[in-house]
Amino acid sequence: MHSYDYWLILAFFAVVLIPAPFLGRFYYKVMEGQRTWLSPILGPVERGCYRVAGVDPQAEQSWQKYTLALLAFNLAGFLLLFAILLFQDYLPLNPQNLPGQEWTQAFNTAVSFMTNTNWQSYSGEATLSYLSQMVGLTVQNFVSAATGLAVLVALCRGIGRKSTKTLGNFWVDMTRATLYGLLPLCLLLALFLVWQGVPQTFAHYVNAVTMQGVDQVIPLGPAASQIAIKQLGTNGGGFFGVNSAHPFENPTAWSNLFEVASIILIPVALVFTFGHYVKDLRQSRAIIACMLALFLIGGATSLWAEYQPNPTLTNVAVEQTAPLEGKEARFGTTATVLWSVTTTAASNGSVNGMHDSLNPLSGMVAMINMMVGEVIFGGVGAGLYGMLLNVLIAVFLAGLMIGRTPEYLGKKLQAREVQLLVVTLLVMPVGVLVLGAIAASLPGPVAAVSNPGAHGFSQLLYAYTSASANNGSAFAGFGANTAFHNLMLGLGMLIGRFGYILPVLALAGSLAMKKTAPIGQNSFPTHGPLFVTLLTVTILLVGGLTFLPTLALGPIAEHLSLGF
Amino acid sequence: MMNMPATKAAVVKAPEQPKTAISALWRPALVQAFVKLDPRQLQRAPVMLVVELTAILTTVLCFIPDNAVPTFVAAQIALWLWFTVLFANFAEALAEGRGKARADSLKAGSEGLSARRKTANGSFQVVPATSLRKGDVVRVAAGEMIPGDGEVIEGIAAVNEAAITGESAPVIRESGGDRSAVTGNTRLVSDWLLVRITAHPGESTLDRMIALVEGAKRQKTPNEVALDILLIGLTLIFLLVVVTLQPFAHFANGSLPLVFLVALLVTLIPTTIGGLLSAIGIAGMDRLVRLNVIAKSGRAVEAAGDVHVLLLDKTGTITFGNRRCSAIYAAPGVTAKELAEGALFASLADDTAEGKSIVEYLRGLHPQPEPSAEVLTAVPFSAETRLSGVDYQGRVYRKGAVDSLLTFVGLKRADLAAPLSREIDKIAQSGGTPLLVCVDGKLLGVIHLKDVVKPGIRERFAELRKLGIRTVMVTGDNPLTAAAIAAEAGVDDVLAEATPEKKLARIRHEQNDGRLVAMCGDGANDAPALAQADVGMAMNDGTQAAREAANMVDLDSDPTKLLDVVQIGKELLVTRGALTTFSIANDVAKYFAILPALFASIYPQLGVLNIMHLSSPQSAILSAIVFNALIIVVLIPLALRGVRVQAVSAAALLRRNLLIYGLGGILVPFVGIKAIDMLLTALHLV
């Protein structure tokens, strides 16, 4: 590794960790309707939204009503997007006259963007009109991230409030999350990207003649605005097929730094938001510490794996550097590895290199990041509520050992809570193992795998992991655009999204109704190094015990058979 | 309010009966272990039911030849799977046996008991005790057994409750007041009683006690239910893990022997805690029963581990139930001899503990001739005068509380001589009770009565404080007195001038702040507070109202037991948590044993994961299964005894238990499985 590699890593952490506490406080204030410096500008817009929609911003909802509103909103969003994708050839802003998507692919895409997954079994520039990209996908990029944020604040309120039945108002939370939480940041990043050279235009694709005299079509479009939200909203769906490995999506080293940092900026900030909700920032620091620990373990392993000399070349007189196949050659191996770890740790899924070409171990780190449930920073809102589920599991497992009914921040964890936790524990095994096993045992779906042996298995495993974890990145060799995989992966995304959201909201409702026991000397300590260690080990243990056998058949076997 | 004889506080516990020793119990427990193989019984422990199903499956597979697995090995795996279930059953049976041995000896007396039930026309009819219903009235005479729990509605009698409490001295039971409750299977030693039965058959104190220690009837406690759900969830996850392995193996052009997959499943699911969960619960209740405390439900015992606040009556819990004379001070112009004589005479006829303590004190301090009891005219304490004393040789000796005696001699507080007034204030401030003594209207001086704090109680409270539990002393004393005793006993807070209403209000206040409250009481007016408290312990010699409102009854009527109950509640939870953590942590080593063995035929290079260097794939899998079964046996003593809970902060407790059961749980099986592997190989069993 060169010195600029270390500078990149340092700059990455600085860009994320320095503003996060302030941003976290800002999110708390806007989500609770407190006055901020943006209120004079956005306040009238917010109130206008409520008037138009007929929403009473003071009216609080029970967890059931909150959930129903969320489901209705997501269903409506899905149907709208599904329709746009199917019928884009009849709709405006389609200068290339691209045809409508085939229905299983449209279903897959609509589910994918509604669930904040952004799994793409298509190439944007080759299949989607500008309208589909902007009105269809970009809108879902915003609202799916806002949905995650809304679920998170509902859970925060559930933990922070006591003896109440209400969790806030879904419509208000969505409005505030979009208006204050996402739009201003996206505007900033989009402007920055335009400055760096990302296109933002409605013009036709450019026809050029290359120096070899070949005709070339250069795709353009309103890319900067979509890239901003795809990074900040942990969506990850590229405007162009190869995502941020495309020079129009990621033109410079600066755009690379800010795009990769944007992936986890909001998820990190939200951990501080949680601290404000429960009025104890020590909890935030403990959770951040655990996330950072897991991130660094994964990152270090990946970097180490990528910088290993290739054993098959050790007897040949060549100088070995890190392999560059599938890497973003302009920025180097470290930049690609940093991106791959970040994008899988957060449920983003955008890439600036090809994960299929990662060494087996760094590919495994990417999979583990997703398999633990996208809780290492994770998606906007989704990462932290997933992490809080792990916190509750750790508290329940070890909490009995202090001789009390397990409690988190004064809330007792009883049969109902454990029931809901168990449901969420089943999400990844069902999505990855069960759906994966079905795909692996049918001859048709298996044909999507492009490599033999353990690596082929990794491709399939990665696809189902990515879908269930709502990540969206892929091992590119996997031919996902078949009716079977479009539908099954769509199902995986739905399980992965709502398999968490529904129990989390029920949990929030159940916790909100409980009294809060005072925190004292005999309370379970949920901050400090001991708890951070416990939480980290719990996450690795739960994820590891579930997926170790499967990983042994994929990346571990591949790693060992390569002779490393 | 509590008011009990001092002797009760120090009941000598009957030595543990030999039949509850493990040596006598293991034989019947072994038989029970097989009886409990019945799936209908096993469904209470879902994890073990899964193990039994896999044992059946593996047994069947033994008869289907498989090239990959020699029948010899498959048979051994099947055998050890059966052992796993049997060991778990054995643990439960052993725990049950201990509790039941005691319950049976109690119940023995009730077999074939009959009762004289009052009929509608007022006559009495002999019926079997089992036919008695709530509300029936029975007559019990001397020498007979009381047929069921009830309340005395007429009569007074001495009752021997040794069968329940282990204490041989009979106690008085009478209608009205705070001593009206009687317990079934206790014997009347004098007189007769008319008793209204207050429990249906099967719901008596004794029946409750038995139900707590019987696996099949036991109600699971809330924490146990929650833990059960988690264990089922983990079982389900591992089932998915194992079931999907076969298609994945097929994808890699391999196949995994079914027997090995079954073995993997059983070693992964939390069998250790799943097998011992019930035994832990029963053993916890058994510890409670051996303390002579009967909980009406396991829920209350668990809640005891959670309490934040203990409301403890001063009298009988923190101090010995009586005040003792510790000093006397003469009024100005009165000689010591005069005062000693006056105080002695005024107390000679006083039968209360306080009175006796004055006499004792003066006899030691100032020996003097005493008139015999016959020549004294005793004037007992009355509610009107609030004084007591004697009339002797025409002289009027009286003693009493300051206000009452001043009224009696016609003085005002301000009229008192300054030195005497100062002394009185000093006594009151120190938490004592000043009693004034007079003879023929002349003030002689003041007696200092002092509450004696029980030895060791201060240390107990300090321990509780470390566990984060606050103690609140409840007393009828004035705030000044209360504060002084509180300081001496080291309680955290005081509820002075307590009335039942104030007590109830205090409990509600604590609960509104999210705290769990435990208290004990015995009087009828304690009933609302006992019912409101999260853990309410009634004294066995208290009223029926209190016993019904409480969720625990202490048969020895010793309020300090509440502290032991808290300890047991905590131990119960810690034991469960420790074994859960241990059970899950074990899986790491099991993976390292089984995965390389399982995939040996598909990816031989995965052999590097065999970090224990187990001799062969078959040996690795068998060793893991054997370890998984034996660890249950090894942990039975811990499950029955419970993990000790030290008086340290939650963080320290967590650190210690995580190190022992978490880290230990990861490391131990590496050693254990390797050792078993070496043994199996040496014995040529694989």
Side-chain angles (χ1 to χ4, degrees), chain A residues 400-401 403-405 418 457 515 517 521-523 545-546 561, chain B residues 223 226 241 248 305-306 308 465 467 511 574 591 605 657:
Chain A
L400 285 168
M401 282 198 292
R404 302 176 51 79
T405 300
V418 175
F457 181 64
K515 286 181 187 166
Q521 212 188 357
N522 61 343
S523 316
L545 293 178
T546 313
S561 57
Chain B
N223 268 312
V241 170
F248 291 150
D306 281 347
H308 298 91
R465 200 167 305 116
L467 287 169
Q511 287 174 334
V574 172
Y591 262 143
Q605 63 266 32
N657 286 336

PDB file of all heavy atoms in Angstrom, chain A residues 400-401 403-405 418 457 515 517 521-523 545-546 561, chain B residues 223 226 241 248 305-306 308 465 467 511 574 591 605 657:
ATOM      1  N   LEU A 400     -29.477 -12.027  31.593  1.00  0.00           N
ATOM      2  CA  LEU A 400     -29.881 -12.879  32.712  1.00  0.00           C
ATOM      3  C   LEU A 400     -28.718 -13.092  33.670  1.00  0.00           C
ATOM      4  O   LEU A 400     -28.909 -13.342  34.849  1.00  0.00           O
ATOM      5  CB  LEU A 400     -30.356 -14.230  32.179  1.00  0.00           C
ATOM      6  CG  LEU A 400     -31.729 -14.257  31.516  1.00  0.00           C
ATOM      7  CD1 LEU A 400     -31.929 -15.576  30.798  1.00  0.00           C
ATOM      8  CD2 LEU A 400     -32.818 -14.072  32.543  1.00  0.00           C
ATOM      9  N   MET A 401     -27.497 -12.971  33.134  1.00  0.00           N
ATOM     10  CA  MET A 401     -26.326 -13.289  33.950  1.00  0.00           C
ATOM     11  C   MET A 401     -26.047 -12.257  35.037  1.00  0.00           C
ATOM     12  O   MET A 401     -25.133 -12.445  35.825  1.00  0.00           O
ATOM     13  CB  MET A 401     -25.096 -13.476  33.069  1.00  0.00           C
ATOM     14  CG  MET A 401     -25.108 -14.825  32.416  1.00  0.00           C
ATOM     15  SD  MET A 401     -23.506 -15.308  31.800  1.00  0.00           S
ATOM     16  CE  MET A 401     -23.295 -14.167  30.489  1.00  0.00           C
ATOM     17  N   GLY A 403     -28.570 -11.522  36.972  1.00  0.00           N
ATOM     18  CA  GLY A 403     -29.584 -11.875  37.966  1.00  0.00           C
ATOM     19  C   GLY A 403     -30.825 -11.015  37.913  1.00  0.00           C
ATOM     20  O   GLY A 403     -31.495 -10.823  38.917  1.00  0.00           O
ATOM     21  N   ARG A 404     -31.112 -10.465  36.754  1.00  0.00           N
ATOM     22  CA  ARG A 404     -32.338  -9.682  36.616  1.00  0.00           C
ATOM     23  C   ARG A 404     -32.986 -10.027  35.285  1.00  0.00           C
ATOM     24  O   ARG A 404     -32.335 -10.536  34.392  1.00  0.00           O
ATOM     25  CB  ARG A 404     -32.041  -8.182  36.626  1.00  0.00           C
ATOM     26  CG  ARG A 404     -31.330  -7.688  37.854  1.00  0.00           C
ATOM     27  CD  ARG A 404     -31.000  -6.214  37.729  1.00  0.00           C
ATOM     28  NE  ARG A 404     -32.163  -5.447  37.351  1.00  0.00           N
ATOM     29  CZ  ARG A 404     -33.124  -5.079  38.205  1.00  0.00           C
ATOM     30  NH1 ARG A 404     -33.014  -5.400  39.475  1.00  0.00           N
ATOM     31  NH2 ARG A 404     -34.162  -4.402  37.803  1.00  0.00           N
ATOM     32  N   THR A 405     -34.274  -9.723  35.170  1.00  0.00           N
ATOM     33  CA  THR A 405     -34.912  -9.825  33.876  1.00  0.00           C
ATOM     34  C   THR A 405     -34.175  -8.877  32.941  1.00  0.00           C
ATOM     35  O   THR A 405     -33.939  -7.739  33.305  1.00  0.00           O
ATOM     36  CB  THR A 405     -36.390  -9.394  33.981  1.00  0.00           C
ATOM     37  OG1 THR A 405     -37.026 -10.245  34.911  1.00  0.00           O
ATOM     38  CG2 THR A 405     -37.076  -9.479  32.646  1.00  0.00           C
ATOM     39  N   VAL A 418     -38.986 -11.091  22.770  1.00  0.00           N
ATOM     40  CA  VAL A 418     -38.121 -12.167  22.286  1.00  0.00           C
ATOM     41  C   VAL A 418     -38.731 -12.821  21.050  1.00  0.00           C
ATOM     42  O   VAL A 418     -38.027 -13.139  20.088  1.00  0.00           O
ATOM     43  CB  VAL A 418     -37.880 -13.196  23.406  1.00  0.00           C
ATOM     44  CG1 VAL A 418     -37.077 -14.373  22.882  1.00  0.00           C
ATOM     45  CG2 VAL A 418     -37.140 -12.541  24.557  1.00  0.00           C
ATOM     46  N   PHE A 457     -20.578 -21.176  -6.660  1.00  0.00           N
ATOM     47  CA  PHE A 457     -21.481 -21.189  -5.508  1.00  0.00           C
ATOM     48  C   PHE A 457     -21.499 -19.817  -4.833  1.00  0.00           C
ATOM     49  O   PHE A 457     -22.552 -19.321  -4.436  1.00  0.00           O
ATOM     50  CB  PHE A 457     -21.056 -22.265  -4.513  1.00  0.00           C
ATOM     51  CG  PHE A 457     -21.962 -22.329  -3.319  1.00  0.00           C
ATOM     52  CD1 PHE A 457     -23.296 -22.680  -3.465  1.00  0.00           C
ATOM     53  CD2 PHE A 457     -21.488 -22.019  -2.051  1.00  0.00           C
ATOM     54  CE1 PHE A 457     -24.142 -22.717  -2.374  1.00  0.00           C
ATOM     55  CE2 PHE A 457     -22.328 -22.061  -0.963  1.00  0.00           C
ATOM     56  CZ  PHE A 457     -23.656 -22.405  -1.125  1.00  0.00           C
ATOM     57  N   LYS A 515     -43.245   0.508  31.181  1.00  0.00           N
ATOM     58  CA  LYS A 515     -42.643   1.500  32.065  1.00  0.00           C
ATOM     59  C   LYS A 515     -41.139   1.450  31.863  1.00  0.00           C
ATOM     60  O   LYS A 515     -40.598   0.471  31.375  1.00  0.00           O
ATOM     61  CB  LYS A 515     -42.940   1.136  33.511  1.00  0.00           C
ATOM     62  CG  LYS A 515     -44.365   1.400  33.927  1.00  0.00           C
ATOM     63  CD  LYS A 515     -44.491   1.019  35.380  1.00  0.00           C
ATOM     64  CE  LYS A 515     -45.924   1.083  35.832  1.00  0.00           C
ATOM     65  NZ  LYS A 515     -46.106   0.423  37.119  1.00  0.00           N
ATOM     66  N   ALA A 517     -37.750   1.352  33.828  1.00  0.00           N
ATOM     67  CA  ALA A 517     -37.134   1.200  35.145  1.00  0.00           C
ATOM     68  C   ALA A 517     -35.953   2.158  35.234  1.00  0.00           C
ATOM     69  O   ALA A 517     -35.275   2.400  34.239  1.00  0.00           O
ATOM     70  CB  ALA A 517     -36.662  -0.231  35.340  1.00  0.00           C
ATOM     71  N   GLN A 521     -27.152   1.133  39.483  1.00  0.00           N
ATOM     72  CA  GLN A 521     -25.998   0.269  39.592  1.00  0.00           C
ATOM     73  C   GLN A 521     -26.316  -1.165  39.211  1.00  0.00           C
ATOM     74  O   GLN A 521     -25.443  -1.910  38.785  1.00  0.00           O
ATOM     75  CB  GLN A 521     -25.499   0.315  41.031  1.00  0.00           C
ATOM     76  CG  GLN A 521     -24.012   0.134  41.103  1.00  0.00           C
ATOM     77  CD  GLN A 521     -23.562  -0.008  42.537  1.00  0.00           C
ATOM     78  OE1 GLN A 521     -24.346   0.082  43.478  1.00  0.00           O
ATOM     79  NE2 GLN A 521     -22.286  -0.250  42.716  1.00  0.00           N
ATOM     80  N   ASN A 522     -27.570  -1.547  39.393  1.00  0.00           N
ATOM     81  CA  ASN A 522     -27.886  -2.945  39.093  1.00  0.00           C
ATOM     82  C   ASN A 522     -28.478  -3.105  37.708  1.00  0.00           C
ATOM     83  O   ASN A 522     -28.973  -4.152  37.355  1.00  0.00           O
ATOM     84  CB  ASN A 522     -28.824  -3.529  40.147  1.00  0.00           C
ATOM     85  CG  ASN A 522     -30.144  -2.786  40.192  1.00  0.00           C
ATOM     86  OD1 ASN A 522     -30.260  -1.679  39.688  1.00  0.00           O
ATOM     87  ND2 ASN A 522     -31.134  -3.394  40.788  1.00  0.00           N
ATOM     88  N   SER A 523     -28.454  -2.039  36.902  1.00  0.00           N
ATOM     89  CA  SER A 523     -28.930  -2.173  35.529  1.00  0.00           C
ATOM     90  C   SER A 523     -27.823  -2.787  34.692  1.00  0.00           C
ATOM     91  O   SER A 523     -26.644  -2.615  34.978  1.00  0.00           O
ATOM     92  CB  SER A 523     -29.283  -0.815  34.942  1.00  0.00           C
ATOM     93  OG  SER A 523     -29.996  -0.062  35.864  1.00  0.00           O
ATOM     94  N   LEU A 545     -22.458 -18.483  13.210  1.00  0.00           N
ATOM     95  CA  LEU A 545     -23.017 -19.818  13.402  1.00  0.00           C
ATOM     96  C   LEU A 545     -24.035 -20.132  12.318  1.00  0.00           C
ATOM     97  O   LEU A 545     -24.190 -21.272  11.906  1.00  0.00           O
ATOM     98  CB  LEU A 545     -23.669 -19.928  14.772  1.00  0.00           C
ATOM     99  CG  LEU A 545     -22.712 -19.859  15.957  1.00  0.00           C
ATOM    100  CD1 LEU A 545     -23.465 -19.937  17.267  1.00  0.00           C
ATOM    101  CD2 LEU A 545     -21.681 -20.977  15.880  1.00  0.00           C
ATOM    102  N   THR A 546     -24.725 -19.098  11.826  1.00  0.00           N
ATOM    103  CA  THR A 546     -25.739 -19.343  10.805  1.00  0.00           C
ATOM    104  C   THR A 546     -25.113 -19.615   9.440  1.00  0.00           C
ATOM    105  O   THR A 546     -25.592 -20.447   8.683  1.00  0.00           O
ATOM    106  CB  THR A 546     -26.679 -18.125  10.701  1.00  0.00           C
ATOM    107  OG1 THR A 546     -27.077 -17.745  12.015  1.00  0.00           O
ATOM    108  CG2 THR A 546     -27.903 -18.438   9.882  1.00  0.00           C
ATOM    109  N   SER A 561      -8.475 -23.634  -2.040  1.00  0.00           N
ATOM    110  CA  SER A 561      -8.094 -24.371  -3.243  1.00  0.00           C
ATOM    111  C   SER A 561      -7.172 -23.548  -4.141  1.00  0.00           C
ATOM    112  O   SER A 561      -6.492 -24.092  -4.994  1.00  0.00           O
ATOM    113  CB  SER A 561      -9.342 -24.816  -4.012  1.00  0.00           C
ATOM    114  OG  SER A 561     -10.121 -23.691  -4.310  1.00  0.00           O
TER     115      SER A 561
ATOM    116  N   ASN B 223     -39.666 -15.315  32.476  1.00  0.00           N
ATOM    117  CA  ASN B 223     -38.339 -15.330  31.863  1.00  0.00           C
ATOM    118  C   ASN B 223     -38.048 -16.653  31.180  1.00  0.00           C
ATOM    119  O   ASN B 223     -37.359 -16.715  30.170  1.00  0.00           O
ATOM    120  CB  ASN B 223     -37.263 -15.094  32.921  1.00  0.00           C
ATOM    121  CG  ASN B 223     -36.944 -13.637  33.047  1.00  0.00           C
ATOM    122  OD1 ASN B 223     -36.731 -12.984  32.038  1.00  0.00           O
ATOM    123  ND2 ASN B 223     -36.938 -13.124  34.248  1.00  0.00           N
ATOM    124  N   ALA B 226     -39.767 -16.663  27.875  1.00  0.00           N
ATOM    125  CA  ALA B 226     -39.023 -15.862  26.902  1.00  0.00           C
ATOM    126  C   ALA B 226     -37.793 -16.618  26.415  1.00  0.00           C
ATOM    127  O   ALA B 226     -37.512 -16.674  25.218  1.00  0.00           O
ATOM    128  CB  ALA B 226     -38.624 -14.530  27.529  1.00  0.00           C
ATOM    129  N   VAL B 241     -30.200 -24.130   8.683  1.00  0.00           N
ATOM    130  CA  VAL B 241     -28.792 -24.229   8.304  1.00  0.00           C
ATOM    131  C   VAL B 241     -28.474 -25.643   7.837  1.00  0.00           C
ATOM    132  O   VAL B 241     -27.856 -25.849   6.785  1.00  0.00           O
ATOM    133  CB  VAL B 241     -27.887 -23.848   9.500  1.00  0.00           C
ATOM    134  CG1 VAL B 241     -26.430 -24.181   9.194  1.00  0.00           C
ATOM    135  CG2 VAL B 241     -28.026 -22.369   9.833  1.00  0.00           C
ATOM    136  N   PHE B 248     -26.856 -27.461  -1.104  1.00  0.00           N
ATOM    137  CA  PHE B 248     -25.612 -26.754  -1.410  1.00  0.00           C
ATOM    138  C   PHE B 248     -24.488 -27.755  -1.702  1.00  0.00           C
ATOM    139  O   PHE B 248     -23.642 -27.524  -2.566  1.00  0.00           O
ATOM    140  CB  PHE B 248     -25.213 -25.827  -0.255  1.00  0.00           C
ATOM    141  CG  PHE B 248     -26.140 -24.642  -0.082  1.00  0.00           C
ATOM    142  CD1 PHE B 248     -26.351 -24.063   1.161  1.00  0.00           C
ATOM    143  CD2 PHE B 248     -26.812 -24.101  -1.180  1.00  0.00           C
ATOM    144  CE1 PHE B 248     -27.208 -22.974   1.310  1.00  0.00           C
ATOM    145  CE2 PHE B 248     -27.664 -23.019  -1.037  1.00  0.00           C
ATOM    146  CZ  PHE B 248     -27.864 -22.454   0.214  1.00  0.00           C
ATOM    147  N   GLY B 305     -35.884 -11.352  42.040  1.00  0.00           N
ATOM    148  CA  GLY B 305     -34.552 -11.044  41.548  1.00  0.00           C
ATOM    149  C   GLY B 305     -34.470  -9.664  40.924  1.00  0.00           C
ATOM    150  O   GLY B 305     -33.406  -9.082  40.805  1.00  0.00           O
ATOM    151  N   ASP B 306     -35.636  -9.138  40.534  1.00  0.00           N
ATOM    152  CA  ASP B 306     -35.678  -7.859  39.824  1.00  0.00           C
ATOM    153  C   ASP B 306     -35.923  -6.660  40.721  1.00  0.00           C
ATOM    154  O   ASP B 306     -35.883  -5.536  40.250  1.00  0.00           O
ATOM    155  CB  ASP B 306     -36.831  -7.878  38.803  1.00  0.00           C
ATOM    156  CG  ASP B 306     -36.457  -8.640  37.556  1.00  0.00           C
ATOM    157  OD1 ASP B 306     -35.264  -8.925  37.396  1.00  0.00           O
ATOM    158  OD2 ASP B 306     -37.348  -8.943  36.758  1.00  0.00           O
ATOM    159  N   HIS B 308     -36.142  -3.456  42.983  1.00  0.00           N
ATOM    160  CA  HIS B 308     -35.268  -2.306  43.198  1.00  0.00           C
ATOM    161  C   HIS B 308     -35.350  -1.842  44.643  1.00  0.00           C
ATOM    162  O   HIS B 308     -34.435  -1.255  45.164  1.00  0.00           O
ATOM    163  CB  HIS B 308     -35.689  -1.136  42.320  1.00  0.00           C
ATOM    164  CG  HIS B 308     -35.605  -1.401  40.851  1.00  0.00           C
ATOM    165  ND1 HIS B 308     -36.643  -1.903  40.120  1.00  0.00           N
ATOM    166  CD2 HIS B 308     -34.579  -1.241  39.988  1.00  0.00           C
ATOM    167  CE1 HIS B 308     -36.278  -2.029  38.863  1.00  0.00           C
ATOM    168  NE2 HIS B 308     -35.029  -1.642  38.751  1.00  0.00           N
ATOM    169  N   ARG B 465     -27.147  -3.095  48.691  1.00  0.00           N
ATOM    170  CA  ARG B 465     -26.864  -1.825  48.041  1.00  0.00           C
ATOM    171  C   ARG B 465     -25.925  -2.040  46.862  1.00  0.00           C
ATOM    172  O   ARG B 465     -26.065  -1.444  45.814  1.00  0.00           O
ATOM    173  CB  ARG B 465     -26.267  -0.849  49.052  1.00  0.00           C
ATOM    174  CG  ARG B 465     -26.378   0.608  48.614  1.00  0.00           C
ATOM    175  CD  ARG B 465     -26.079   1.558  49.754  1.00  0.00           C
ATOM    176  NE  ARG B 465     -26.919   1.303  50.910  1.00  0.00           N
ATOM    177  CZ  ARG B 465     -26.470   0.893  52.090  1.00  0.00           C
ATOM    178  NH1 ARG B 465     -25.180   0.698  52.267  1.00  0.00           N
ATOM    179  NH2 ARG B 465     -27.293   0.673  53.082  1.00  0.00           N
ATOM    180  N   LEU B 467     -25.820  -4.599  45.064  1.00  0.00           N
ATOM    181  CA  LEU B 467     -26.626  -5.172  43.981  1.00  0.00           C
ATOM    182  C   LEU B 467     -27.604  -4.146  43.434  1.00  0.00           C
ATOM    183  O   LEU B 467     -28.407  -4.450  42.555  1.00  0.00           O
ATOM    184  CB  LEU B 467     -27.401  -6.381  44.494  1.00  0.00           C
ATOM    185  CG  LEU B 467     -26.589  -7.648  44.750  1.00  0.00           C
ATOM    186  CD1 LEU B 467     -27.419  -8.665  45.496  1.00  0.00           C
ATOM    187  CD2 LEU B 467     -26.098  -8.238  43.446  1.00  0.00           C
ATOM    188  N   GLN B 511     -43.502   2.303  42.109  1.00  0.00           N
ATOM    189  CA  GLN B 511     -43.843   1.563  40.885  1.00  0.00           C
ATOM    190  C   GLN B 511     -44.061   2.507  39.713  1.00  0.00           C
ATOM    191  O   GLN B 511     -43.726   2.182  38.579  1.00  0.00           O
ATOM    192  CB  GLN B 511     -45.080   0.695  41.121  1.00  0.00           C
ATOM    193  CG  GLN B 511     -44.767  -0.510  41.996  1.00  0.00           C
ATOM    194  CD  GLN B 511     -46.002  -1.294  42.355  1.00  0.00           C
ATOM    195  OE1 GLN B 511     -47.100  -0.754  42.387  1.00  0.00           O
ATOM    196  NE2 GLN B 511     -45.821  -2.575  42.649  1.00  0.00           N
ATOM    197  N   VAL B 574     -29.477 -16.007  36.954  1.00  0.00           N
ATOM    198  CA  VAL B 574     -28.071 -16.085  36.565  1.00  0.00           C
ATOM    199  C   VAL B 574     -27.753 -17.489  36.041  1.00  0.00           C
ATOM    200  O   VAL B 574     -27.061 -17.643  35.032  1.00  0.00           O
ATOM    201  CB  VAL B 574     -27.150 -15.732  37.752  1.00  0.00           C
ATOM    202  CG1 VAL B 574     -25.700 -16.015  37.398  1.00  0.00           C
ATOM    203  CG2 VAL B 574     -27.313 -14.275  38.127  1.00  0.00           C
ATOM    204  N   TYR B 591     -18.340 -26.512  15.484  1.00  0.00           N
ATOM    205  CA  TYR B 591     -18.174 -26.270  14.056  1.00  0.00           C
ATOM    206  C   TYR B 591     -16.790 -26.713  13.594  1.00  0.00           C
ATOM    207  O   TYR B 591     -16.632 -27.340  12.554  1.00  0.00           O
ATOM    208  CB  TYR B 591     -18.359 -24.781  13.738  1.00  0.00           C
ATOM    209  CG  TYR B 591     -19.744 -24.434  13.230  1.00  0.00           C
ATOM    210  CD1 TYR B 591     -20.353 -23.244  13.581  1.00  0.00           C
ATOM    211  CD2 TYR B 591     -20.425 -25.291  12.381  1.00  0.00           C
ATOM    212  CE1 TYR B 591     -21.623 -22.914  13.119  1.00  0.00           C
ATOM    213  CE2 TYR B 591     -21.683 -24.972  11.919  1.00  0.00           C
ATOM    214  CZ  TYR B 591     -22.284 -23.779  12.288  1.00  0.00           C
ATOM    215  OH  TYR B 591     -23.515 -23.471  11.826  1.00  0.00           O
ATOM    216  N   GLN B 605      -9.538 -29.787   1.156  1.00  0.00           N
ATOM    217  CA  GLN B 605      -8.683 -28.700   1.656  1.00  0.00           C
ATOM    218  C   GLN B 605      -9.271 -28.030   2.891  1.00  0.00           C
ATOM    219  O   GLN B 605      -8.575 -27.347   3.628  1.00  0.00           O
ATOM    220  CB  GLN B 605      -8.404 -27.667   0.560  1.00  0.00           C
ATOM    221  CG  GLN B 605      -9.618 -26.938   0.040  1.00  0.00           C
ATOM    222  CD  GLN B 605     -10.213 -27.603  -1.197  1.00  0.00           C
ATOM    223  OE1 GLN B 605     -10.158 -28.821  -1.353  1.00  0.00           O
ATOM    224  NE2 GLN B 605     -10.791 -26.806  -2.083  1.00  0.00           N
ATOM    225  N   ASN B 657     -19.165 -13.387  34.861  1.00  0.00           N
ATOM    226  CA  ASN B 657     -19.910 -14.486  34.262  1.00  0.00           C
ATOM    227  C   ASN B 657     -19.630 -14.628  32.772  1.00  0.00           C
ATOM    228  O   ASN B 657     -19.645 -15.734  32.236  1.00  0.00           O
ATOM    229  CB  ASN B 657     -21.410 -14.294  34.506  1.00  0.00           C
ATOM    230  CG  ASN B 657     -21.777 -14.583  35.941  1.00  0.00           C
ATOM    231  OD1 ASN B 657     -21.069 -15.331  36.629  1.00  0.00           O
ATOM    232  ND2 ASN B 657     -22.838 -13.975  36.422  1.00  0.00           N
TER     233      ASN B 657
END
